Amino acid sequence: MTESTSAPTYFIRTFGCQMNEHDSERMAGMLEAEGYERVDSAEAATVVVFNTCCIRENADNRLYGNLGHIKPLRDADPDKRIVVGGCLAQKDKDLIQRRAPYVDVVLGTHNLASLPRLLAESKKGPSFEILEQTEVFPSALPSRRESWWHAWVSISIGCNNSCTFCIVPAVRGVEVSRRMGDIIDEVQRLVSEGVVEVTLLGQNVNSYGRDLDGTPMFSRLLWALDEVPGLERVRFTSPHPKDFKQDTVDAMAGAGVVCEHIHLPVQSGSSDVLKRMKRAYTRDKYLQKIAMIRTAIPDVAITTDIIVGFPGETEKDFQETLDLVEYVGYDAAYTFQYSPRPMTEAADLPDQLPKEVVQERFERLVELQDRISIERNLGMEGKTFSVIVEGVSRKDAGRLTGRTRTNKLIHFPDDGATPGSFRKVRVLSAHRNHLDGELMDGGVDRAHRSPMGLPLLASSGPGCSC
Ligand code: 5AD
Ligand code: SF4
């Protein structure tokens, strides 16, 4: 990465979810294929891309704040280009044009591949294009990955559900699954480049393949990935509780490559609220899924998403959420205050709750989950885990940070291991969001996969010190 270069340069700022991170890597890949070089700041870049999110309202405000900041630089440099892509662009093309007329390119979620063409056309004036259907599956585009050992792999795009709070179906469209052969080919290629862990991405991974085969194929995909030599870990996000069935649990338990972590968004512990959210499961049905998972994978880590203050949520409904959180004992929860979104049913529901009520409930939920997260982590003290090194700890330069298969962040002494290598680490102390540990048996871990799958010998990735 260099900032004093004669080649055109780019900088991408990504908001929102992993799908957006994946799309940003594709936009970076396309720009690099066109000869652009990456720089570390919007100020230094010829092309500045904002890859936006619109799932909650504050995302809008942040985008316009960023655009206002960059405007003087655009005014001062006729060659500079400002690009707005992603979900907010898909939803608000005209508004962006009105509020920030100096933006050069707007492209939506369905036409990432058009970025180079739209940039070329922007020499003649603003170049905006939004499509209603995906032209090219984003995974088929070149990529510039942030990590050499981890990769996002999108298995489907769009969502056929109609959760009443959610804007995603309106901006990402109907569900389209990618051919299984294409996914396996991509994963094999990634492994040949040194990747050891992939995260499968889809709005509702459990319905993967329904549009291809008439029946969901997600568990088949997990078993197929278990056969890819050299692949060590598979994660996925997000499953939907209504479509999460025994076959997926069996694949998680039996396919050694699949990590013992599941993110299963519950949204609310009240069946009444779930009904108004159109989640298509009740509190009891959700708890049955949790029991099914814990029976098959006793050491599994479970995380979730929860929305507080959905329209009409009563104190009793909220108590049911607290009660469910306590009962399940989540390792972590992403907690959100309900945010009314345009083009969603819930935005028009009566009984929108006052801000203070939502805030007060939100704080109670966070306090409860914090206590449970610490308790779950305390249960890991004294145990030894296989860890993939992510890099030097941000807090302590003498320590490394890695992640267990259960997705826990763990800090341990720096033995010179490079990112992507495996270490065996024993947990010494537990905190809310991380663990502290020590290296065991010389540190190097040679049997990475879960004991239920086939143990593999360590493959030394690029720069691995073992
Ligand atoms: N308000 C608050 N949270 C929301 N989410 C989605 N839409 C909204 C909204 N309108 C949360 C859900 C989802 C996560 C990605 O974002 O919990 O699972
Ligand atoms: Fe949104 Fe529901 Fe689809 Fe998830 S399943 S993306 S919450 S509509």
Side-chain angles (χ1 to χ4, degrees):
M1 249 180 291
T2 164
E3 303 208 357
S4 57
T5 169
S6 54
T9 56
Y10 75 93
F11 172 80
I12 302 182
R13 176 105 200 258
T14 308
F15 302 86
C17 65
Q18 292 100 333
M19 195 68 85
N20 271 14
E21 285 182 39
H22 167 274
D23 290 353
S24 288
E25 291 187 351
R26 303 289 155 169
M27 288 197 266
M30 282 186 290
L31 290 171
E32 294 197 6
E34 296 279 314
Y36 286 81
E37 287 180 10
R38 180 166 130 166
V39 290
D40 283 338
S41 70
E43 286 74 13
T46 329
V47 170
V48 181
V49 181
F50 294 104
N51 191 9
T52 59
C53 165
C54 61
I55 199 127
R56 284 170 294 276
E57 200 175 2
N58 53 10
D60 305 26
N61 303 337
R62 281 172 65 197
L63 171 70
Y64 290 110
N66 273 280
L67 288 175
H69 178 75
I70 201 92
K71 178 179 184 299
L73 298 172
R74 172 70 185 88
D75 291 345
D77 179 356
D79 291 331
K80 202 171 184 85
R81 291 285 174 275
I82 303 177
V83 179
V84 181
C87 295
L88 196 61
Q90 183 74 27
K91 161 172 117 44
D92 276 352
K93 168 169 102 41
D94 296 336
L95 187 64
I96 293 169
Q97 197 156 28
R98 275 205 309 278
R99 284 188 65 172
Y102 45 89
V103 167
D104 299 283
V105 172
V106 172
L107 76 167
T109 50
H110 296 293
N111 57 338
L112 290 186
S114 308
L115 176 60
R117 175 176 55 80
L118 294 173
L119 270 174
E121 288 172 7
S122 74
K123 289 195 181 105
K124 291 185 238 131
S127 184
F128 289 17
E129 183 182 274
I130 300 294
L131 302 183
E132 294 308 317
Q133 271 189 336
T134 295
E135 284 179 318
V136 180
F137 214 94
S139 295
L141 302 171
S143 179
R144 198 271 193 212
R145 293 200 321 275
E146 292 299 314
S147 149
W148 66 261
W149 58 270
H150 171 269
W152 308 110
V153 175
S154 97
I155 64 168
S156 60
I157 49 176
C159 180
N160 288 355
N161 293 320
S162 39
C163 304
T164 55
F165 53 80
C166 185
I167 197 171
V168 167
V171 290
R172 291 265 174 189
V174 293
E175 186 176 81
V176 182
S177 302
R178 197 172 162 210
R179 279 189 52 245
M180 195 183 303
D182 291 348
I183 299 171
I184 302 292
D185 284 352
E186 186 189 3
V187 172
Q188 281 171 336
R189 185 182 47 74
L190 289 165
V191 170
S192 75
E193 291 168 6
V195 166
V196 286
E197 176 179 304
V198 295
T199 304
L200 308 177
L201 295 178
Q203 302 299 341
N204 175 5
V205 291
N206 292 111
S207 71
Y208 164 73
R210 214 195 299 259
D211 52 321
L212 298 176
D213 209 21
T215 175
M217 295 157 64
F218 185 60
S219 58
R220 266 154 65 190
L221 177 63
L222 294 181
W223 285 113
L225 289 170
D226 198 42
E227 300 290 318
V228 176
L231 182 63
E232 294 286 346
R233 291 181 175 186
V234 172
R235 304 186 183 281
F236 54 85
T237 193
S238 288
H240 190 300
K242 91 175 150 62
D243 297 314
F244 190 83
K245 307 248 160 78
Q246 188 70 45
D247 62 321
T248 301
V249 179
D250 291 345
M252 287 183 72
V257 80
V258 183
C259 289
E260 296 77 30
H261 168 224
I262 180 151
H263 181 74
L264 197 62
V266 64
Q267 312 299 0
S268 169
S270 152
S271 293
D272 285 348
V273 173
L274 289 169
K275 193 164 181 197
R276 277 181 288 120
M277 287 177 165
K278 293 204 175 145
R279 290 290 288 176
Y281 54 86
T282 59
R283 171 194 175 90
D284 284 351
K285 274 263 156 23
Y286 181 88
L287 289 176
Q288 281 166 21
K289 310 270 168 163
I290 295 287
M292 181 169 86
I293 297 164
R294 284 219 197 277
T295 304
I297 315 161
D299 287 335
V300 71
I302 306 181
T303 56
T304 197
D305 291 341
I306 300 171
I307 297 178
V308 178
F310 186 78
E313 181 192 74
T314 61
E315 177 58 27
K316 181 172 162 288
D317 291 323
F318 179 64
Q319 283 295 339
E320 290 189 76
T321 297
L322 293 180
D323 179 72
L324 179 136
V325 166
E326 184 91 60
Y327 180 81
V328 174
Y330 292 107
D331 290 84
Y334 296 88
T335 47
F336 306 104
Q337 302 193 11
Y338 170 71
S339 165
R341 304 311 287 134
M343 301 184 273
T344 64
E345 252 186 88
D348 297 325
L349 286 176
D351 296 332
Q352 305 278 331
L353 299 191
K355 181 99 195 80
E356 320 76 71
V357 173
V358 181
Q359 180 68 33
E360 192 266 339
R361 287 183 188 166
F362 180 77
E363 284 166 16
R364 277 150 68 200
L365 175 63
V366 169
E367 195 181 316
L368 172 65
Q369 182 55 50
D370 283 354
R371 177 188 35 89
I372 295 170
S373 295
I374 294 176
E375 282 168 11
R376 294 286 302 166
N377 287 348
L378 281 170
M380 296 176 76
E381 283 185 358
K383 295 185 184 155
T384 299
F385 295 91
S386 176
V387 164
I388 297 189
V389 177
E390 295 199 341
V392 174
S393 158
R394 274 195 222 138
K395 287 197 184 130
D396 181 351
R399 292 170 80 71
L400 296 177
T401 293
R403 224 169 259 275
T404 64
R405 289 175 59 92
T406 49
N407 210 30
K408 305 270 178 169
L409 212 57
I410 179 158
H411 303 310
F412 53 96
D414 187 350
D415 67 341
T418 49
S421 29
F422 286 80
R423 287 293 178 267
K424 243 166 121 177
V425 182
R426 191 166 78 101
V427 176
L428 294 176
S429 63
H431 311 272
R432 191 185 57 198
N433 294 325
H434 77 277
L435 306 159
D436 277 310
E438 64 178 357
L439 290 160
M440 292 296 285
D441 305 337
V444 178
D445 181 19
R446 297 205 170 272
H448 308 143
R449 284 200 184 201
S450 141
M452 291 177 190
L454 288 175
L456 287 184
L457 281 185
S459 54
S460 339
C464 179
S465 59
C466 52

